[in-house]
Amino acid sequence: MFVDVILPLALSELFSYSVPAEWANTIVPGIRVAVQVGQKKLYSAIVYRVYEDKPATGYVIKEIFSVLDETPIVNDYQLKLWEWISAYYMCSLGEVMKVALPAGLKMESETRVCIVPFDNIDVDLSDIEKQIIRELEDKERSIEELYNRTKRRNILPAVKLLLDKGLLSIREELKTSYRAKTATFVRLHPSIDSEEKLNEALEAVKRADKQRAIVEGYIHAASPLSYKVPVEMSRKELLKLSRSSSAALKACVDKNILEYLEKQIGRIDNSAVSVNEISNLSSIQQQAFDKIKHQFTLHNTVLLHGVTSSGKTEIYIKLISEQLQQGKHVLYLLPEIALTTQIIHRLKNVFGNRIGVYHSHFNNHERIEVYNNLLEANNDSGFVILGVRSSIFLPYTKLGLIIVDEEHENTYKQYDPAPRYHARDSVIVLSQLHGAKVLLGTATPAIETYYNAVNGKYGLVKLSERFGNMELPVVETVDMVRARKRKQVHTHFSGMLLDGIQDALEQGEQVILFQNRRGFSPFVMCQTCGYTPRCEYCDVSLTYHKYNSQLVCHYCGYAISMQHHCPQCQSADIQACGFGTEKIEEELKLLIPEARIERLDLDNTRQKNAYERILHDFEEQEINILVGTQMVTKGLDFDNVSLVGVLNADNMLNFPDFRAHERSYQLMAQVGGRAGRKNKKGRVLIQTSDTGNPVIRYIQQHDYLSMYNSQIEERKVFNYPPFCRLLVLTLKHTNKNVVDEAAITLSHTLKAIFGNRLAGPETPLINRIQNKYLLNFRLKLGRDKAAQQAKVLLRECFDQLIQSKKEYRTLKISVDVDPM
């Protein structure tokens, strides 16, 4: 028997292995096996195919090393989704596997080093070699352990020399980062099997007050007692209940009155939750709900185009309830972890512990437990997964409904590394595999989505009124050119915005300020010679973060301390230029010292539960002003926000991208939708130097349709999505000459095939990232089946290029299909 396996590596081929007879009956697709790659390296791989005919290869087929699972951890639905993502987004199955499985389910070996037994050493050793020998005298260690213990940077060359001298040997050991969480429980010792023996035990501890308190505490908590199946009680709870010490409990165990046992417990909180009945829908919501149900009879995918605060979530909840009653799984996708904080409470209030949450702020152990819980879920019971884009890869078996909330958000798109998939598009394929329905919900649909809806590919349902008949906010613009001329601008705030903030605070209301750039300022500059600190590895200036006094590259993470003297002219006149959320927060605290101000951006939410803390404090009105990046635009629901300020609309409107106007409309309309959701008509102030921009006018009029019509006409003229499939091809190499030469060669090959559908090579806005030079091509393909054949031709061209010259073997070519 033979198997083809998927390795978590960026390799285009599957690898074949033979199966020893002892495992012939246990090997099935989706199970993990340990396999050897190369001379020594071990990996856990997913069995993709099992067959009996020996593959025709030019190499010796190795046996699998071991079988790691009793049952598959990847089901057929998942493997089919992996295949589609691999083909459509032009990546390997191994790259999909790396993203799809939690880290703890992907094992690879670590190198262990040990001493070869010897009587005496006749060779001269350097100091570092002697230190390595000393560290290995008592036990073998991993390379990482040796590095940490020796504190030497050049440890690998020294290890290699010792291997060459025959003084060390190495072996590979398969490791996993996942460990099941356990806790200590206490129960009656098996020897105490009657009331008489229990009385004897109490008599034995009657003079030891702490020990007696423990035994009596256990008896009270475990009442009524069962001697055949003793009640198990948490050690921690028993000590708390009896107010005794660990030593007293150990004494009871030593006297064979109680006994310890270790039990596996979950990291996910599944404690009982009180649930409420589903709220009744308003007449308008009910009409939309009925229309969705009707559209589902005609289409597998339906777009719910509902204005902000129209009550889309209540409709989602009713649809979810219907699926759970049928024992189906539901996937509820959100674009940001921040959104899960609010939605999880609303869903748990209705569905209790039938809700699972899955996102990157969970640690690896928690993600594995969610994965395993779904893998082991009873097929008769419904279950809801609430998560971000990676949730599409979980092992669903009875998926009935997928909800994609805020479907327009670009955070549903994976950028790096591959696979560069879009979760919204991928769940449509996932739904087809399961025979499920997809509901896309948003107030500002993506152009492509709305195009599909109005042309009949998707169903379309509109919800055009806010819940409770609340009016949409008034949108006003502030002409910053005029305000500066009249000296009405204080730092980065117009007088009109500051007055609006003061009015809101005096009324006891809250304010959200949106600035789509984090950090204190985008760059710093010497005012004497014009020097600007730049990243050593990327062609970009360093962003100043004042809270830790660092200049940071937002592309590779390179950071240096803030420079107070110019390294070129030694001038001390270095100033921060531009502004980000951190600077806005600082200036507000100076202008309005009585206000409680908080920031919501990537820098301020790195710690676990930081999102929850900030949003909870804002919801409880412990924060007056919330300053944030895109995180504050995405579906958050606050009762007391009366004013939203957009501090710099021009950066978004003038960004050099064909989606700039669409994104600007979506961001500003969404953040404006946070205002006036419950008690009072909201107000939105947009600071801009281009008050006549048509996008600003559409936002003021809440006119999505006019924005859509203008954009769709423009894209039709210039042949942009949805009228074509767009691919961005990127060449990367550490040597600029190699990139330039390879791009010219590839250009000739591709233009002979694709003609004027290919544009490039062109230098991107940032042409060096992580010390690699970049050149881009843009390729426009038709939306028919020929697009898949074009991808096959592309792959052949890439292979031909890489094999044509020795220098090109280290060239990286990435493909971004449907870039955002």
Side-chain angles (χ1 to χ4, degrees), residues 286-561:
Q286 186 64 47
Q287 289 173 21
F289 176 82
D290 293 338
K291 288 177 182 176
I292 291 168
K293 294 296 294 293
H294 174 67
Q295 287 294 326
F296 275 151
T297 64
L298 306 173
H299 305 276
N300 288 328
T301 302
V302 174
L303 170 64
L304 175 58
H305 181 199
V307 298
T308 56
S309 194
S310 55
K312 294 186 288 292
T313 305
E314 296 303 325
I315 296 174
Y316 299 159
I317 287 172
K318 192 164 182 182
L319 288 166
I320 290 169
S321 177
E322 287 189 349
Q323 295 297 319
L324 296 185
Q325 288 172 13
Q326 299 172 38
K328 297 289 187 70
H329 296 156
V330 178
L331 171 58
Y332 190 140
L333 278 181
L334 292 162
E336 280 281 358
I337 297 168
L339 270 179
T340 64
T341 303
Q342 281 200 328
I343 298 294
I344 187 64
H345 295 303
R346 295 179 68 176
L347 294 186
K348 277 210 167 188
N349 284 338
V350 178
F351 303 116
N353 287 326
R354 298 170 84 179
I355 304 291
V357 184
Y358 192 83
H359 56 62
S360 60
H361 269 213
F362 273 18
N363 63 40
N364 181 46
H365 302 303
E366 290 169 326
R367 274 179 275 175
I368 290 178
E369 289 195 5
V370 173
Y371 191 98
N372 288 337
N373 288 345
L374 195 55
L375 199 64
E376 299 164 6
N378 187 333
N379 285 339
D380 297 328
S381 62
F383 199 77
V384 183
I385 286 291
L386 182 69
V388 291
R389 63 173 180 259
S390 57
S391 306
I392 71 170
F393 294 112
L394 289 171
Y396 306 103
T397 53
K398 294 185 68 177
L399 200 55
L401 175 67
I402 304 172
I403 296 169
V404 185
D405 200 11
E406 309 297 347
E407 65 82 26
H408 64 278
E409 287 289 353
N410 61 358
T411 46
Y412 282 124
K413 172 74 173 178
Q414 164 89 2
Y415 290 96
D416 276 313
R420 296 171 180 84
Y421 68 99
H422 198 299
R424 178 196 62 212
D425 300 336
S426 300
V427 296
I428 292 172
V429 175
L430 180 63
S431 71
Q432 292 169 354
L433 295 173
H434 286 265
K437 302 296 184 182
V438 178
L439 181 63
L440 309 174
T442 179
T444 54
I447 297 290
E448 291 94 326
T449 302
Y450 202 77
Y451 177 82
N452 286 332
V454 297
N455 284 281
K457 185 175 181 180
Y458 302 160
L460 176 61
V461 177
K462 294 188 177 183
L463 196 56
S464 54
E465 292 183 24
R466 279 188 154 190
F467 183 76
N469 295 318
M470 285 299 301
E471 294 183 60
L472 288 164
V474 175
V475 181
E476 304 171 60
T477 59
V478 182
D479 188 337
M480 294 300 284
V481 174
R482 187 177 179 184
R484 288 190 183 96
K485 287 179 179 177
R486 295 187 174 191
K487 309 294 183 185
Q488 294 174 342
V489 176
H490 307 273
T491 61
H492 303 290
F493 303 92
S494 64
M496 190 174 174
L497 180 56
L498 285 175
D499 290 343
I501 293 172
Q502 288 286 9
D503 290 344
L505 297 182
E506 287 171 8
Q507 301 279 338
E509 296 161 349
Q510 293 170 289
V511 178
I512 289 177
L513 297 179
F514 170 53
Q515 166 60 8
N516 202 23
R517 188 184 291 275
R518 64 188 173 97
F520 189 83
S521 63
F523 62 97
V524 297
M525 179 184 289
C526 173
Q527 299 302 300
T528 304
C529 70
Y531 167 77
T532 298
R534 302 183 70 81
C535 177
E536 285 190 12
Y537 307 103
C538 307
D539 187 21
V540 65
S541 57
L542 297 176
T543 300
Y544 176 39
H545 290 256
K546 191 173 183 179
Y547 78 96
N548 60 0
S549 192
Q550 283 198 322
L551 297 169
V552 180
C553 174
H554 286 177
Y555 288 85
C556 71
Y558 171 78
I560 59 174
S561 298

Side-chain angles (χ1 to χ4, degrees), residues 476 478 490-514 584-585 587-597 618 623-627 640-647 680 683-685 687:
E476 304 171 60
V478 182
H490 307 273
T491 61
H492 303 290
F493 303 92
S494 64
M496 190 174 174
L497 180 56
L498 285 175
D499 290 343
I501 293 172
Q502 288 286 9
D503 290 344
L505 297 182
E506 287 171 8
Q507 301 279 338
E509 296 161 349
Q510 293 170 289
V511 178
I512 289 177
L513 297 179
F514 170 53
I584 295 300
E585 180 189 23
E587 290 175 348
L588 272 176
K589 287 178 178 177
L590 294 174
L591 292 167
I592 315 175
E594 69 276 12
R596 289 161 295 175
I597 302 164
F618 193 66
I623 297 169
N624 303 122
I625 304 173
L626 186 64
V627 181
N640 198 42
V641 175
S642 64
L643 175 66
V644 168
V646 178
L647 293 167
K680 176 181 174 182
R683 185 183 182 203
V684 181
L685 290 177
Q687 296 187 161

Side-chain angles (χ1 to χ4, degrees), residues 500-780:
I501 293 172
Q502 288 286 9
D503 290 344
L505 297 182
E506 287 171 8
Q507 301 279 338
E509 296 161 349
Q510 293 170 289
V511 178
I512 289 177
L513 297 179
F514 170 53
Q515 166 60 8
N516 202 23
R517 188 184 291 275
R518 64 188 173 97
F520 189 83
S521 63
F523 62 97
V524 297
M525 179 184 289
C526 173
Q527 299 302 300
T528 304
C529 70
Y531 167 77
T532 298
R534 302 183 70 81
C535 177
E536 285 190 12
Y537 307 103
C538 307
D539 187 21
V540 65
S541 57
L542 297 176
T543 300
Y544 176 39
H545 290 256
K546 191 173 183 179
Y547 78 96
N548 60 0
S549 192
Q550 283 198 322
L551 297 169
V552 180
C553 174
H554 286 177
Y555 288 85
C556 71
Y558 171 78
I560 59 174
S561 298
M562 174 60 181
Q563 297 175 340
H564 299 288
H565 289 85
C566 174
Q568 288 191 353
C569 70
Q570 305 308 313
S571 168
D573 190 11
I574 293 182
Q575 293 184 14
C577 303
F579 62 100
T581 51
E582 192 182 346
K583 191 171 187 179
I584 295 300
E585 180 189 23
E586 181 181 276
E587 290 175 348
L588 272 176
K589 287 178 178 177
L590 294 174
L591 292 167
I592 315 175
E594 69 276 12
R596 289 161 295 175
I597 302 164
E598 187 60 86
R599 181 162 44 91
L600 186 71
D601 58 24
L602 184 62
D603 299 319
N604 212 30
T605 54
R606 292 188 187 277
Q607 292 183 342
K608 189 174 182 179
N609 301 323
Y611 283 113
E612 289 86 344
R613 176 186 59 79
I614 294 170
L615 295 180
H616 175 269
D617 289 350
F618 193 66
E619 198 165 14
E620 295 296 317
Q621 300 180 32
E622 294 175 12
I623 297 169
N624 303 122
I625 304 173
L626 186 64
V627 181
T629 54
Q630 291 186 39
M631 291 180 185
V632 300
T633 71
K634 299 177 181 180
L636 297 171
D637 187 14
F638 301 112
D639 294 352
N640 198 42
V641 175
S642 64
L643 175 66
V644 168
V646 178
L647 293 167
N648 187 355
D650 302 328
N651 276 359
M652 295 179 282
L653 291 167
N654 298 319
F655 192 78
D657 187 87
F658 75 95
R659 298 187 195 273
H661 281 191
E662 176 193 3
R663 282 188 188 145
S664 299
Y665 180 91
Q666 289 167 342
L667 283 169
M668 287 188 274
Q670 286 285 344
V671 75
R674 304 312 109 206
R677 295 175 72 88
K678 291 292 186 294
N679 307 315
K680 176 181 174 182
K681 188 172 183 177
R683 185 183 182 203
V684 181
L685 290 177
I686 299 176
Q687 296 187 161
T688 176
S689 301
D690 186 10
T691 55
N693 192 296
V695 175
I696 300 289
R697 186 173 69 253
Y698 300 143
I699 294 168
Q700 287 182 293
Q701 297 168 354
H702 305 287
D703 190 357
Y704 171 83
L705 195 57
S706 293
M707 186 280 295
Y708 167 80
N709 286 332
S710 69
Q711 288 297 296
I712 207 72
E713 286 302 316
E714 191 175 293
R715 294 190 188 187
K716 189 173 184 179
V717 170
F718 294 102
N719 192 28
Y720 274 107
F723 300 101
C724 74
R725 289 206 185 281
L726 185 62
L727 282 70
V728 173
L729 322 175
T730 303
L731 276 61
K732 304 178 185 178
H733 199 276
T734 52
N735 188 320
K736 189 175 185 304
N737 293 331
V738 170
V739 175
D740 292 340
E741 291 173 11
I744 292 169
T745 303
L746 184 63
S747 175
H748 293 318
T749 305
L750 294 181
K751 282 184 177 175
I753 300 172
F754 299 107
N756 60 6
R757 288 179 291 172
L758 182 78
E762 59 189 17
T763 303
L765 285 174
I766 299 169
N767 67 359
R768 185 169 65 100
I769 296 177
Q770 295 182 352
N771 225 23
K772 290 186 174 64
Y773 292 91
L774 280 63
L775 279 175
N776 288 348
F777 292 88
R778 283 179 176 262
L779 179 60
K780 295 176 180 177

Side-chain angles (χ1 to χ4, degrees), residues 229-288:
V229 184
V231 173
E232 297 167 356
M233 186 178 180
S234 164
R235 174 182 178 276
K236 185 178 179 180
E237 288 180 15
L238 181 55
L239 290 175
K240 184 179 179 180
L241 179 69
S242 62
R243 297 181 180 178
S244 297
S245 64
S246 299
L249 176 56
K250 185 176 183 302
C252 293
V253 172
D254 291 341
K255 291 177 180 178
N256 291 336
I257 300 171
L258 301 172
E259 71 171 357
Y260 290 138
L261 69 154
E262 290 292 316
K263 287 184 65 176
Q264 183 174 327
I265 60 171
R267 293 175 172 84
I268 309 300
D269 181 13
N270 287 319
S271 55
V273 178
S274 59
V275 296
N276 304 318
E277 289 188 9
I278 297 175
S279 303
N280 292 327
L281 300 180
S282 68
S283 59
I284 295 174
Q285 288 174 320
Q286 186 64 47
Q287 289 173 21

